[in-house]
Amino acid sequence: MCQWCITMHIVKKFNLKSIIRHAKTMPSAMLSLILWSAITIWATIISKNIWVFLCAIPFIIALTLIPLKISKMNNDISQELLPKYEKVLSTIKIGDITKNMLNQKVKVEGTVEKIIYGISPKPTVKIKDETGEITSLLIVPLPENIKKGDRVALYGVVSKHYKYFGFMGIPKLWEPKIFGIGVIKL
C-alpha cells in the first residue's frame, strides 16, 4: 500500500472532535504544530519556492498524527490496566506513601488541588487528602468531567519526583509521586 494511502487511513481514524480534544489536552504538541507550520509558511514565502511547502506537508501531518497515535496507545494501556488495578488495589492514605514504596501499585482517593498542562504532553495533577498531598504524572489526559475541587480515585505506581528538576536531579533529594495510569471521579 502506498504511503499516501496509509496516511489517509490514519487520518480517517481520528475525527475532528478527537483532534480538538487532543489540542486542548496537549498544548505542547499543538504549539509545536503551529510553530513548524509558521516556519514552513515563512520559508516558502522567503524562498518563493512552493516545493518547500509541499515537501513539508508530510512532516506537518506527522506532527499531528504521531502525538495522536501515542495518546491513543496510552489510552489503550490505561483502559486495559485500570480494571485490573480496581480489582486488586485498596485505598491507601497519601500520608502513608513513602520512599520505601517505590514501584508499588497504589490507589489513593482525594481532592484535585491542581491540574497542570505544561511542556509535557501528559497532565500533572496534585491530589490532596486529610493526611497530605501528592503529585501525579498521568499517562492519559484527565476525563473531561474532572476539574479542580473534584473528589477522585487515582491509580498508579509510586515513582521518584526530584525536588529541583522533577524527572532527574540530585539522587538523595526526591520524594514519592504517582505515575498515574488513570483517574476516576467519585
Side-chain angles (χ1 to χ4, degrees):
M1 190 183 287
C2 70
Q3 184 64 33
W4 178 254
C5 297
I6 293 169
T7 303
M8 288 296 96
H9 176 70
I10 292 171
V11 170
K12 287 179 186 176
K13 286 173 57 176
F14 298 107
N15 60 23
L16 185 59
K17 185 178 178 183
S18 71
I19 291 173
I20 291 171
R21 170 133 170 83
H22 173 74
K24 287 180 181 176
T25 59
M26 298 191 152
S28 61
M30 189 64 192
L31 288 173
S32 175
L33 178 64
I34 291 168
L35 174 73
W36 287 109
S37 296
I39 289 171
T40 300
I41 292 168
W42 176 78
T44 303
I45 292 168
I46 295 298
S47 69
K48 297 178 184 166
N49 185 350
I50 193 67
W51 286 103
V52 171
F53 181 75
L54 293 175
C55 290
I57 288 174
F59 298 103
I60 301 295
I61 290 171
L63 279 173
T64 305
L65 296 181
I66 291 171
L68 278 171
K69 183 66 176 170
I70 291 170
S71 179
K72 177 155 179 19
M73 288 176 4
N74 284 342
N75 276 326
D76 292 347
I77 291 169
S78 178
Q79 294 301 318
E80 180 184 329
L81 291 177
L82 207 50
K84 293 176 183 177
Y85 277 40
E86 285 180 289
K87 287 179 186 174
V88 298
L89 295 177
S90 57
T91 305
I92 64 169
K93 299 290 183 190
I94 292 173
D96 295 338
I97 296 175
T98 65
K99 290 181 176 184
N100 296 334
M101 296 178 70
L102 189 62
N103 297 325
Q104 289 184 20
K105 297 174 189 168
V106 294
K107 172 190 174 187
V108 296
E109 292 180 0
T111 305
V112 176
E113 289 290 307
K114 194 178 208 182
I115 301 169
I116 304 165
Y117 285 102
I119 290 280
S120 172
K122 303 170 192 165
T124 300
V125 179
K126 191 168 275 195
I127 308 262
K128 184 176 187 178
D129 71 4
E130 62 277 357
T131 63
E133 66 181 27
I134 195 159
T135 301
S136 175
L137 177 63
L138 298 172
I139 66 168
V140 293
L142 284 170
E144 291 183 27
N145 64 340
I146 294 179
K147 60 189 179 309
K148 183 178 175 183
D150 286 345
R151 189 148 170 73
V152 297
L154 169 68
Y155 297 86
V157 177
V158 177
S159 61
K160 293 180 178 182
H161 179 75
Y162 291 101
K163 292 189 182 206
Y164 299 112
F165 304 108
F167 64 92
M168 62 179 204
I170 304 167
K172 302 260 186 212
L173 296 178
W174 66 275
E175 56 192 26
K177 76 172 177 186
I178 297 175
F179 190 76
I181 60 114
V183 176
I184 297 174
K185 188 172 184 176
L186 299 176

